[in-house]
Amino acid sequence: MSDKVVLSYDGKELELPVSTGSMDEKSIDISKLRGATGLITMDPGYKNTGSCESKITFLDGEEGKLLYRGYPIEQIADKSNFEEVMYLLLKGELPTQTELEGFVADIRKNTEVAEELVQMLNAFPEGSHPMGIISALTSALSAFNPEKVNVATEEEMYDAAVTLLGQFPVIAAWSQRKIKGLPLVKSDSSLSYVENFYQMLFNDGSEGYKADPVIVDAFDKLLILHADHEQNCSASTVRLVGSSHAGIFASIAAGISALWGPLHGGANQAVLEMLEAIQNDGGDVAKFIAKAKDKEDPFRLMGFGHRVYKNFDPRARIIKVAADNVLTTLGINDPILDIAKGLEQACLEDDYFKARKLYPNVDFYSGIIYKALEIPTEMFTVMFAVGRLPGWIAQWMEMRQTNQPIGRPRQLYTGAATRDYVEMSAR
Ligand code: ACO
């Protein structure tokens, strides 16, 4: 196959080099295009634009394939755990036992949250969305860790990363405690990362609180499945903000805001709200499918479709099984789940959805598990953020370590052409 593309424009020919990735993906390097021809490329939504080279995550939307550092997500979800996955994403290789213990210990050293940060948490008004809270408090970590903001060496970046990995689950769990009006539960360093997060969310204060292992396992899987997804909206935001050399806390806070939107991570909350709306409307799934297909109606079926997966979302397959396990273990029989199953089945058989390759995505099922675990709906996207944190950090580190230039897209200006200023009296 050719290693270049020849572009002809205005009587001139330009050769654009083709690069091949390690999974045989191809890209054209257009960085010299504007200089040589005066042309820029237009690609709103970056549907066809690569923003970087990356060694972290590979996904193939046609094949429904997802690899973390080369390892298939199915194997990772089956055999690994979230602590190991965090290490893998950040460092590039699976850890030895000693390396893993050192990494976990480094995170644990950072779980003490400043009293002033707790005061900030308490200052948020009732009804604040927890995504807003955690984004603000993550950004505020810059003020509490000024020496970890302008980091340059690998050691300094690692130090900033484990600080954030230690602080973030505490902030996230405490935002839920605040919503529920419950006292804050301290971090317990005798527990694993996921068990500890879970107990900070749910410990009712009873002596020797122990979470159900089936639930912890499902939680662990959920976090693993959300841990990275290459250059999605929030990861790209983290990279873009970080490319100006804003610090790690500010960059990740921006990523949290990007994740909040219902077209991205906010979809898990939107899915449940949609299922409840269908239920309150009498449970007629067909009516909502018709709405989603109606081009005059802005309504979309939340939890369906994906920018990259056009066959199936491999995470959705794994999570569907986990959801079934949790519901069976907890003996839950929720009518909302019947609506979800009916909706899924009807869409899989519907020509509109088939033709557009719209399948349930990871967020369609994750909300079902969160609901079964009695996590408040507005906390769903926070759960996603806790899972995605190591991915964001890995993307940020890679961006800094490879000296990616500041992100600054071009535009095609379609506003007024040059004109003279009009004095107020003449307007
Ligand atoms: N319901 C109904 N129709 C849909 C849906 C949907 N959920 N998603 C896409 N379509 C239709 C579009 O109307 C469009 O139809 P057309 O070709 O007749 O105009 C076609 O499918 C293609 O849709 P696009 O918006 O061009 O696809 P894009 O790749 O830009 O969007 C997205 C992907 C944002 C995920 C979209 O499918 C969507 O809005 N889904 C619902 C929200 C959601 O679940 N988001 C979570 C994504 S996963 C994640 O972030 C972890």
Side-chain angles (χ1 to χ4, degrees), residues 1-40:
M1 206 174 280
S2 173
D3 59 356
K4 59 178 185 285
V5 163
V6 182
L7 187 88
S8 112
Y9 177 71
D10 211 13
K12 278 185 264 171
E13 284 203 338
L14 177 67
E15 288 187 0
L16 301 171
V18 171
S19 304
T20 305
S22 45
M23 293 294 286
D24 214 26
E25 292 206 314
K26 311 271 181 212
S27 76
I28 309 169
D29 179 352
I30 52 121
S31 54
K32 304 259 178 329
L33 180 68
R34 185 169 175 276
T37 64
L39 294 171
I40 61 156

Side-chain angles (χ1 to χ4, degrees), residues 225 267-268:
L225 294 176
N268 55 15

Side-chain angles (χ1 to χ4, degrees), residues 386-425:
V386 173
R388 184 54 56 87
L389 182 66
W392 286 330
I393 297 176
Q395 298 286 344
W396 176 84
M397 276 179 152
E398 186 179 67
M399 182 269 308
R400 290 297 305 273
Q401 284 160 1
T402 52
N403 288 321
Q404 197 172 312
I406 186 167
R408 205 301 187 187
R410 294 267 176 183
Q411 65 163 14
L412 188 66
Y413 175 69
T414 55
T418 314
R419 50 183 170 167
D420 288 325
Y421 180 80
V422 181
E423 294 300 334
M424 183 72 85
S425 57

Side-chain angles (χ1 to χ4, degrees), residues 47 226 262-265 267 271 292-293 295 299-308 310 313 315 352-353 356 358 361-363 384 388:
K47 292 194 176 195
H226 284 99
L263 298 189
H264 189 12
V271 167
K293 288 156 65 170
K295 292 292 166 202
F299 175 76
R300 281 188 166 195
L301 279 187
M302 289 292 127
F304 282 82
H306 195 274
R307 169 59 61 80
V308 182
K310 300 296 178 194
D313 181 340
R315 304 166 301 169
Y352 173 96
F353 287 85
R356 288 167 182 75
L358 301 170
N361 56 50
V362 68
D363 287 329
F384 189 153
R388 184 54 56 87

Side-chain angles (χ1 to χ4, degrees), residues 180-377:
K180 289 187 162 181
L182 295 169
L184 306 182
V185 180
K186 273 197 166 290
S187 171
D188 179 347
S189 60
S190 70
L191 300 173
S192 76
Y193 193 83
V194 177
E195 278 177 310
N196 184 33
F197 177 47
Y198 194 79
Q199 74 89 25
M200 286 189 286
L201 288 167
F202 288 112
N203 191 339
D204 53 10
S206 55
E207 193 76 9
Y209 176 87
K210 193 94 187 89
D212 184 330
V214 175
I215 295 175
V216 173
D217 186 57
F219 228 67
D220 199 86
K221 267 199 184 48
L222 275 167
L223 297 181
I224 290 175
L225 294 176
H226 284 99
D228 194 50
H229 215 227
E230 53 115 300
Q231 307 314 316
N232 55 81
C233 179
S234 55
S236 299
T237 302
V238 169
R239 277 185 179 256
L240 191 59
V241 174
S243 76
S244 74
H245 291 196
I248 187 171
F249 307 111
S251 305
I252 303 287
I256 295 168
S257 297
L259 186 75
W260 191 355
L263 298 189
H264 189 12
N268 55 15
Q269 172 174 346
V271 167
L272 209 83
E273 287 167 351
M274 174 188 75
L275 294 174
E276 282 166 355
I278 298 176
Q279 185 186 36
N280 294 338
D281 195 64
D284 184 359
V285 163
K287 181 174 160 190
F288 282 79
I289 293 181
K291 258 169 85 62
K293 288 156 65 170
D294 180 358
K295 292 292 166 202
E296 302 300 311
D297 191 327
F299 175 76
R300 281 188 166 195
L301 279 187
M302 289 292 127
F304 282 82
H306 195 274
R307 169 59 61 80
V308 182
Y309 293 123
K310 300 296 178 194
N311 186 340
F312 67 93
D313 181 340
R315 304 166 301 169
R317 278 196 176 160
I318 299 169
I319 215 162
K320 191 176 174 191
V321 176
D324 279 342
N325 280 346
V326 167
L327 298 177
T328 312
T329 307
L330 299 179
I332 289 177
N333 202 357
D334 187 336
I336 284 276
L337 303 173
D338 296 331
I339 294 176
K341 282 182 188 158
L343 188 63
E344 178 193 358
Q345 201 49 44
C347 289
L348 291 176
E349 288 162 8
D350 190 291
D351 286 343
Y352 173 96
F353 287 85
K354 281 203 254 181
R356 288 167 182 75
K357 299 185 189 310
L358 301 170
Y359 298 91
N361 56 50
V362 68
D363 287 329
F364 187 69
Y365 302 104
S366 62
I368 292 173
I369 300 188
Y370 296 140
K371 177 161 195 283
L373 301 183
E374 293 178 16
I375 290 172
T377 315

